Amino acid sequence: GDCLADLVVVSTDTSATATTDRPKLEVWTSVKVAGLPPAADDPSTPSGSTSFSLKTEALRDLPRGAGQVAFQDVDRDGSVDLVVPVCYPAATCAEENSIHIYYNQQMGMCGSRFGSSSSCRSQSDLCVADTSFSFSKDASTTNVDAADGGHVVVPTSAFLDDLGVVFNTPDTALASNENGDHVPPLTVRLGDADMDGFPDLLVSVRRIND
């Protein structure tokens, strides 16, 4: 990373020329634009600004039924990864009921503060961008290590013993419950709940027969 906040957007192409109805993941990276010194007659003129540039190499078609994108350094390599819950169709999750992890593939940090190598970034270069970073589009074998593939699909059966339990998700992202209240889209929360140094998941589930 370059210590600048980037934008991650999930969009849908509704044009007549759209080739798929799947949601699309867009990554817009921050670009620092150098400017002139503030104008003498306008003190509010910025000396520089930040714009955003679409990272075309990071464009990805997400699975149908994808929920909100969550952010977490899942493999603890110093780079932020993307975690996406998927339930399709929304009523039953019969075709897919899983979590997709898109690992941020870029040059990692050296293990030692004094380390320096062409295969890792010195810790003094923490805020130096790796412009060749990417999120793999091809799903690798379930539950493999991040080093073996940048996109891992974990079915809920891997961590839920009851196969009748699926993600709790509305029929649409703008659905309302019986009281007319807005129901948020499918979401996972991440954090180190048991303080063991590894990220944990908090998900809302339901039993499909209830």
Side-chain angles (χ1 to χ4, degrees):
D2 56 3
C3 298
L4 295 176
D6 303 313
L7 290 176
V8 175
V9 179
V10 177
S11 62
T12 302
D13 187 353
T14 59
S15 67
T17 58
T19 58
T20 178
D21 60 350
R22 293 167 58 181
K24 187 178 295 292
L25 178 75
E26 301 179 6
V27 178
W28 294 76
T29 56
S30 296
V31 179
K32 200 69 175 178
V33 179
L36 297 175
D41 58 345
D42 186 3
S44 66
T45 303
S47 59
S49 60
T50 300
S51 64
F52 293 92
S53 174
L54 178 63
K55 175 78 171 178
T56 56
E57 298 87 350
L59 282 171
R60 297 289 177 267
D61 286 333
L62 295 175
R64 292 180 178 86
Q68 288 187 320
V69 179
F71 306 90
Q72 177 72 41
D73 182 5
V74 177
D75 54 358
R76 303 192 305 172
D77 66 348
S79 299
V80 177
D81 308 309
L82 308 181
V83 180
V84 184
V86 179
C87 169
Y88 186 81
T92 63
C93 305
E95 293 187 28
E96 183 162 6
N97 186 39
S98 61
I99 291 177
H100 288 239
I101 303 174
Y102 297 85
Y103 287 101
N104 189 338
Q105 301 193 358
Q106 61 176 290
M107 184 178 293
M109 305 299 297
C110 297
S112 168
R113 61 179 298 186
F114 303 108
S116 179
S117 169
S118 59
S119 61
C120 65
R121 286 187 294 165
S122 168
Q123 293 186 16
S124 61
D125 293 331
L126 178 64
C127 291
V128 176
D130 180 358
T131 57
S132 61
F133 82 92
S134 67
F135 297 98
S136 177
K137 68 172 67 174
D138 298 321
S140 51
T141 307
T142 301
N143 288 333
V144 301
D145 184 79
D148 298 324
H151 177 193
V152 175
V153 180
V154 183
T156 54
S157 58
F159 54 88
L160 290 176
D161 295 331
D162 189 342
L163 298 182
V165 173
V166 299
F167 286 127
N168 187 29
T169 179
D171 289 338
T172 69
L174 299 179
S176 298
N177 60 19
E178 59 272 15
N179 298 321
D181 299 323
H182 171 65
V183 178
L186 176 59
T187 305
V188 297
R189 303 296 186 190
L190 297 106
D192 187 3
D194 54 0
M195 301 295 289
D196 64 351
F198 292 91
D200 304 306
L201 282 172
L202 175 64
V203 297
S204 176
V205 297
R206 59 186 169 87
R207 193 177 302 278
I208 56 177
N209 295 324
D210 291 347

